Amino acid sequence: MNFITFAEKLGIDREAAIKVYRLFDGGYFESLYYSKPPILHKLREWPRKYLSKKLVLIRNIQLNQAFEALIWADIIAIYGMSSKLIDRPFKYDILEKNVEYVYEEIKKYSLSNNFTDYPMALSLDFVKVDFSPFINDLTNKRREEMKASDSEIINDIAYDSKLMEEIKVKYPWAKNVKRENAVRAFQLSERVNEFVDYVIPYIYYLAASKTLHFDYTLISNMISDTIKIVEEEGSKAIKEQEVSSEYQRKVRELFQLIITTLNYF
């Protein structure tokens, strides 16, 4: 089931659903579903994807309904994914808190940009709609990610980075670097520090995914708070070498894997 079908089942105008879907690039569900590992990294700047000057285009009740449906679909899919992975239920009130937070951020953004009109929360009836297709899609993506090789994921991050594009422009030999050797290329390019700074946030979310730390944290916290917790604990694992959880041990393990690979030559 895609968002358009989902919106129609809620009684939302199809054209309004299509317009909102296109304006906000399919919401966070689409970003997560089509992202390469670690997919949770797409949540890092939550809820910035909704904070756009495109908000001024949400001018009628149909578009407002479609926009709220997009936010709810994203939030339920994310919490449903975590709930399924750790086999623990989540409470409806945590979903409401997230929705309220998103609308508060929309209000702040809109007022700071002098928007006279901006989307506000309505009362949509979600009881009659099955969210399981969205939840199952994200759950399956995470399970695939958890089985994937750490080294392969990190090399993919390096290979697909803007830094790698810049290296290829400056160093002719870099054009022949294979994906599986992407991290090592940075040692030869003398841009090691830039690469390490770039890859560290990805380490946090890869470790949080593989240890399910993100999910256990999320189930009783808002998305924004979960992101803060993951990054703060991850930062302590690297900068202060704090290792008081499986998650922090995984962060250290991934960081050491990168350093060892960089020191290969």
Side-chain angles (χ1 to χ4, degrees):
M1 180 172 66
N2 58 35
F3 173 71
I4 310 305
T5 303
F6 164 74
E8 285 185 300
K9 288 184 177 181
L10 284 171
I12 294 170
D13 178 73
R14 178 179 176 82
E15 293 306 312
I18 291 172
K19 183 171 183 177
V20 166
Y21 179 85
R22 289 175 176 171
L23 283 174
F24 296 92
D25 301 319
Y28 277 91
F29 172 82
E30 290 292 307
S31 295
L32 291 165
Y33 185 72
Y34 289 104
S35 174
K36 288 187 175 182
I39 70 170
L40 296 175
H41 186 266
K42 289 294 182 180
L43 295 175
R44 193 177 188 212
E45 296 183 337
W46 171 272
R48 186 171 292 181
K49 190 166 188 178
Y50 308 124
L51 309 182
S52 161
K53 291 183 178 180
K54 296 174 183 177
L55 288 170
V56 298
L57 300 175
I58 310 299
R59 293 174 176 168
N60 58 45
I61 186 67
Q62 291 83 12
L63 292 171
N64 216 327
Q65 288 176 334
F67 182 64
E68 183 172 359
L70 184 70
I71 293 171
W72 272 97
D74 284 343
I75 291 170
I76 292 176
I78 293 166
Y79 274 86
M81 167 195 69
S82 290
S83 175
K84 196 161 187 176
L85 285 169
I86 64 176
D87 194 25
R88 287 189 183 180
F90 60 84
K91 295 181 179 179
Y92 182 78
D93 64 347
I94 196 72
L95 303 180
E96 285 188 312
K97 287 180 181 178
N98 277 276
V99 172
E100 289 170 3
Y101 174 78
V102 169
Y103 275 100
E104 286 172 6
E105 292 300 303
I106 287 171
K107 181 179 180 179
K108 290 177 186 176
Y109 176 85
S110 298
L111 293 177
S112 68
N113 285 278
N114 298 315
F115 297 167
T116 55
D117 294 310
Y118 48 87
M120 295 185 182
L122 304 170
S123 296
L124 298 178
D125 180 12
F126 295 101
V127 176
K128 58 187 176 182
V129 183
D130 179 14
F131 284 88
S132 60
F134 293 112
I135 293 169
N136 291 337
D137 282 347
L138 291 190
T139 302
N140 290 336
K141 284 283 292 186
R142 284 284 306 286
R143 284 174 174 159
E144 289 174 9
E145 177 176 295
M146 291 167 71
K147 293 176 183 176
S149 159
D150 292 341
S151 180
E152 183 178 330
I153 291 173
I154 291 170
N155 273 304
D156 280 345
I157 293 168
Y159 192 84
D160 295 329
S161 69
K162 186 176 180 180
L163 280 173
M164 179 60 76
E165 292 178 11
E166 293 171 358
I167 287 174
K168 288 181 178 179
V169 170
K170 186 173 182 179
Y171 303 99
W173 56 264
K175 295 177 182 178
N176 298 318
V177 171
K178 294 181 180 179
R179 186 172 286 271
E180 60 266 28
N181 295 322
V183 173
R184 293 173 183 168
F186 284 95
Q187 182 69 49
L188 294 175
S189 73
E190 299 181 348
R191 298 189 70 174
V192 175
N193 292 337
E194 286 179 79
F195 171 68
V196 172
D197 289 342
Y198 172 80
V199 79
I200 280 176
Y202 288 92
I203 291 175
Y204 299 156
Y205 292 96
L206 181 56
S209 174
K210 291 209 167 190
T211 62
L212 297 174
H213 179 61
F214 178 90
D215 310 283
Y216 281 109
T217 305
L218 181 70
I219 214 69
S220 56
N221 291 279
M222 296 205 309
I223 296 171
S224 54
D225 291 332
T226 299
I227 290 166
K228 290 177 184 177
I229 291 167
V230 165
E231 297 209 3
E232 286 174 1
E233 292 181 0
S235 178
K236 288 179 181 178
I238 291 176
K239 295 180 179 179
E240 301 172 23
Q241 298 188 23
E242 179 181 305
V243 182
S244 58
S245 65
E246 182 184 358
Y247 164 64
Q248 289 184 316
R249 283 192 289 275
K250 187 65 178 179
V251 169
R252 291 294 306 171
E253 177 189 322
L254 292 171
F255 183 70
Q256 191 56 50
L257 172 62
I258 291 168
I259 298 304
T260 301
T261 305
L262 285 169
N263 292 333
Y264 176 80
F265 295 104

